[in-house]
Amino acid sequence: MKVQRKAVFWGLLFWILLALGGSVQADEGGYTITDYDVKAILHTDNTIDVTERIGVYFTEERHGIYRNIPMEMTVVRDISKKQDKSEEKIFRYGNKIRNIQVKGDEFTASRQGEDEVIKIGSEDEAVIGAKTYVLTYTYVMPDDRIPYSDFLYYSILGSETEVPINRFTFRLTFEKPLTDASLEAFLIYSGDPGEKKNMLKVSYEFNEYGVSGQAENIGENQGVTVFTNLPRGYFKNAFKLSAAFPEMMFALTAILSVLYLILSLIFRSRAKFGRVVYYPPEEMDSAKAGAIYRGAVRFTDLLSLILYWAQQDYVEIHGRKKKKTEGIRLVKKKELPESAPAYQKTMFEALFRDGAEEVYTQKLPEGFEKYLRKALKELEKEFNGEKDLGLRKFLDWIAMILVSVSFGIFIGGSSAVSLSDHMVFGVFGGIVIFMAWRNRQKAKGEEAFSDGEAGGFLRWVIFLFLMVCILVDVWFCTGVDCLISDLYMYGGFAFGAAAALFGGSLFHFSAYRNALWKELSGLRKFIWKGDKGTLERLLISDPDYYYRIFPYAVALGLTARWEKNFRPIRNTQPFWYKVDEDDPFSARYMDRWISEDFYPRCQIDNKSAVAEKIDSFTSGSSDSSGASSDSAGGGGGVGSW
């Protein structure tokens, strides 16, 4: 008997503690919801008049309660017109709330994030014990933008209530009776958020005029949702978001892109030149040649001077030893003449500082980069006054920036929920389409794409990759629903992509540059085409011709092309290159030497100071986010404060 009494005692104690524990857990918020009653009327303009009566018992002093109501909903709908075919699309809607009233209590209403928060109670008064709150409001849902059907998807009880509900009752009345097909499709979902079954075992009755039901002992964060398909035309005069803004931005993107393409076609024809030239303009070094051809100075131009000086017998180049890591050895043969331009002298001094007779490319003197930038500015000063190169790429930049900005705003303003909803996609699309245009500018040969930068083929691969990124960006926006049709979205992409692919050359040539550019263009054409017969004839009259032109090939971005076209013909080493059995001369190797030894050491990126500032301004990244899970209108929850 004593053992049995002990067992009964410990059993009773266990159940008492368990009950107390459950009671404490249910009362963690300082209150419980004893009764929650919802009365609502669904109108034919897709609005719902709602009256909520919430009975609360406060076990601790509180000012009142708050009711948060989500203003956005996400629905996956079948948009196929055929019964034997399914085609789903995510639709997102921005809902509204109006006519908020609370009977007998103070309240404030404000938008906080995606929710409308109704705060009921007084800052100056505390409540304890039983209290009933009655609030009314009109929940406004927009036109569903599905041309052949309507639907009802509404959470009568939201799944964000912090405490359990002892008893929940509801009645939803339909102003317009449901059809037989809608009654057959009628469903009640209950339980956790996103649940597609009646997990709470809500008991309900429904007919063509409404649905009513009840449930008891509903746990925290549990919801009740009504769903049914409705025939097209059930809702009339539902409010519609205006598509005027994205349509206007689409038109602006199209106009700017077409205008840019037309002007590019007009101005590009003026820059064509077909005659082949075998020598650079008289007394023009490789640095000037590269700057004049491109219309802007670059670090590659200055680095090409090392090879130019070698051919002029001012510098001797010694190949790299396999077991040494100092890099290429540059030996000074003699000083530059007094008549040498300032940028040449500064560059020469950057290498052979304080009377040094030699330097290793992987052990460049301290402050080399500072000298290099000084030489770059001095080279830019060579093109002032009558020698001005023209507007260079200024008009191109302005035109493409306008296209990119309008395209980005078009994508960003396409959301059916809010203007800020797609803005991340818009910023990403605008920046990336501009980056694609810049990459294509380099790939087409108007700027050098060797010497440490990606080769021409790789540039095109990058361009295509960026285009795919933008296309995915647009596709993702259409996938999470837009105010405008997919045709507009992909049309905007097509116009922007065309501008990035074909736009360019909106710059004039000064008289000075126009005369020299034609000769340099002819020389570049010869280097590119690789007429071996002509080169053989030139080598007979000038055995050093290959190496005399080599610095210009570097400055014009055609190092690898020059080597590939004429390797079978070149059978002698340059007089300025000291070779051993480990390291024979190779144009490709010289190109790699500049990339590996100079760029990392100087931390430069082969751009002019102007281009660096613009690139730093336009560079950036953006993150993208996916659509939220299925969510109905209404819902939300109750909390205390």
Side-chain angles (χ1 to χ4, degrees), residues 183-251:
L183 292 174
E184 290 180 6
F186 194 90
L187 294 170
I188 291 279
Y189 304 138
S190 66
D192 294 329
E195 181 60 61
K196 297 301 182 182
K197 295 181 180 179
N198 186 8
M199 300 302 294
L200 299 180
K201 307 299 182 183
V202 175
S203 60
Y204 63 95
E205 296 179 352
F206 68 97
N207 56 37
E208 65 269 31
Y209 298 105
V211 56
S212 61
Q214 64 178 22
E216 296 183 356
N217 300 322
I218 297 177
E220 59 188 51
N221 300 320
Q222 302 286 288
V224 177
T225 301
V226 174
F227 173 83
T228 188
N229 290 311
L230 300 171
R232 183 59 183 172
Y234 183 89
F235 294 122
K236 295 181 178 180
N237 301 319
F239 89 89
K240 296 181 179 181
L241 294 174
S242 174
F245 179 75
E247 288 175 351
M248 179 183 68
M249 294 311 302
F250 168 80

Side-chain angles (χ1 to χ4, degrees), residues 102-148:
V102 177
K103 184 178 181 180
D105 288 282
E106 297 180 18
F107 75 95
T108 59
S110 61
R111 183 70 180 262
Q112 298 181 17
E114 297 180 359
D115 292 352
E116 184 76 18
V117 178
I118 305 170
K119 191 175 181 181
I120 307 173
S122 173
E123 291 276 2
D124 302 324
E125 296 181 9
V127 182
I128 193 166
K131 174 72 175 176
T132 299
Y133 298 94
V134 179
L135 65 150
T136 61
Y137 57 87
T138 299
Y139 195 75
V140 183
M141 293 177 284
D143 180 79
D144 60 15
R145 302 186 303 282
I146 301 175
Y148 44 86

Side-chain angles (χ1 to χ4, degrees), residues 405-594:
V405 169
S406 64
F407 176 75
I409 296 176
F410 161 64
I411 296 297
S414 65
S415 171
V417 178
S418 65
L419 286 179
S420 62
D421 193 61
H422 281 179
M423 198 52 66
V424 170
F425 301 108
V427 171
F428 175 82
I431 291 176
V432 174
I433 204 166
F434 184 83
M435 291 170 57
W437 171 80
R438 284 289 294 148
N439 194 80
R440 199 274 309 179
Q441 290 286 89
K442 296 179 180 181
K444 73 176 185 178
E446 289 191 5
E447 294 187 8
F449 44 75
S450 59
D451 305 317
E453 296 189 18
F457 175 75
L458 181 56
R459 287 281 179 199
W460 283 109
V461 172
I462 295 173
F463 174 82
L464 293 175
F465 172 75
L466 294 176
M467 285 291 104
V468 171
C469 289
I470 301 169
L471 185 60
V472 170
D473 184 60
V474 173
W475 169 81
F476 198 88
C477 286
T478 61
V480 296
D481 195 35
C482 288
L483 271 176
I484 54 181
S485 68
D486 293 357
L487 184 62
Y488 275 99
M489 297 295 290
Y490 291 117
F493 165 76
F495 281 112
L501 180 60
F502 300 110
S505 301
L506 291 189
F507 58 96
H508 76 261
F509 286 80
S510 63
Y512 169 77
R513 185 186 176 201
N514 186 61
L516 295 174
W517 187 89
K518 290 181 178 180
E519 294 187 56
L520 292 171
S521 178
L523 177 62
R524 194 177 189 279
K525 186 174 182 179
F526 171 66
I527 295 173
W528 178 265
K529 292 184 67 174
D531 186 350
K532 295 181 176 60
T534 302
L535 182 62
E536 288 174 343
R537 290 192 296 272
L538 290 168
L539 287 173
I540 293 174
S541 59
D542 184 1
D544 286 336
Y545 176 81
Y546 178 90
Y547 300 108
R548 196 185 307 280
I549 301 300
F550 182 58
Y552 297 90
V554 172
L556 295 173
L558 297 179
T559 310
R561 190 77 179 189
W562 184 242
E563 171 75 3
K564 177 183 177 182
N565 289 341
F566 302 120
R567 183 187 302 168
I569 301 174
R570 177 180 58 82
N571 54 13
T572 60
Q573 296 289 328
F575 68 88
W576 42 263
Y577 187 77
K578 301 306 177 183
V579 65
D580 60 26
E581 67 280 1
D582 295 332
D583 195 16
F585 175 83
S586 165
R588 290 178 180 272
Y589 170 65
M590 299 299 287
D591 187 33
R592 188 170 64 251
W593 151 58
I594 292 176

